[in-house]
Amino acid sequence: MPNHLYHDPNPLPLVERHPSTGPLAKDEGQEGGAGRVHLRIVSIRKRLLDPDNLSVKWLIDCLRYSQIIRGDEPDKITLQVEQRKCAKGEAEATQIFITLPLES
């Protein structure tokens, strides 16, 4: 079937970004840790993993490739990774919380 005739009845949602007002002037940027995005990733599992086996690299790379975050360098993000056991009847899941820096 040609691609132009294919219609997905369940298209993926599009991520909307807040339009910026343009680049900052040379001296308007913030120094140091200010302006970093905080990522909190919670893995909800039936069986907990060893801490060294819980990798979130591909999740952060997906956020970066989809331009939800500017980058994954230490001056751009802070990262908190957690895991917990599922409650009775709860499905396994991964929750991603993104806290944007306050605009001044």
Side-chain angles (χ1 to χ4, degrees):
M1 174 186 290
N3 286 340
H4 67 281
L5 297 178
Y6 176 73
H7 175 68
D8 186 356
N10 301 313
L12 295 174
L14 295 175
V15 177
E16 295 182 15
R17 293 188 53 119
H18 186 273
S20 66
T21 57
L24 296 174
K26 183 176 182 182
D27 294 329
E28 289 183 34
Q30 296 179 348
E31 294 290 326
R36 291 191 295 176
V37 173
H38 180 70
L39 300 176
R40 179 175 167 239
I41 300 173
V42 181
S43 178
I44 304 167
R45 307 173 98 18
K46 292 183 181 177
R47 272 196 320 176
L48 297 180
L49 296 173
D50 290 342
D52 62 336
N53 288 336
L54 183 58
S55 175
V56 295
K57 179 179 175 24
W58 65 274
L59 283 172
I60 296 171
D61 286 345
C62 288
L63 293 172
R64 188 168 48 92
Y65 294 145
S66 62
Q67 297 181 352
I68 294 172
I69 61 174
R70 291 182 307 155
D72 55 4
E73 296 85 8
D75 63 331
K76 293 192 174 86
I77 68 166
T78 59
L79 178 62
Q80 177 181 352
V81 180
E82 305 169 17
Q83 65 176 326
R84 69 170 175 84
K85 277 193 107 159
C86 296
K88 187 174 182 178
E90 182 182 19
E92 289 188 324
T94 300
Q95 298 174 334
I96 303 171
F97 301 91
I98 303 172
T99 305
L100 300 175
L102 296 175
E103 294 184 21
S104 52

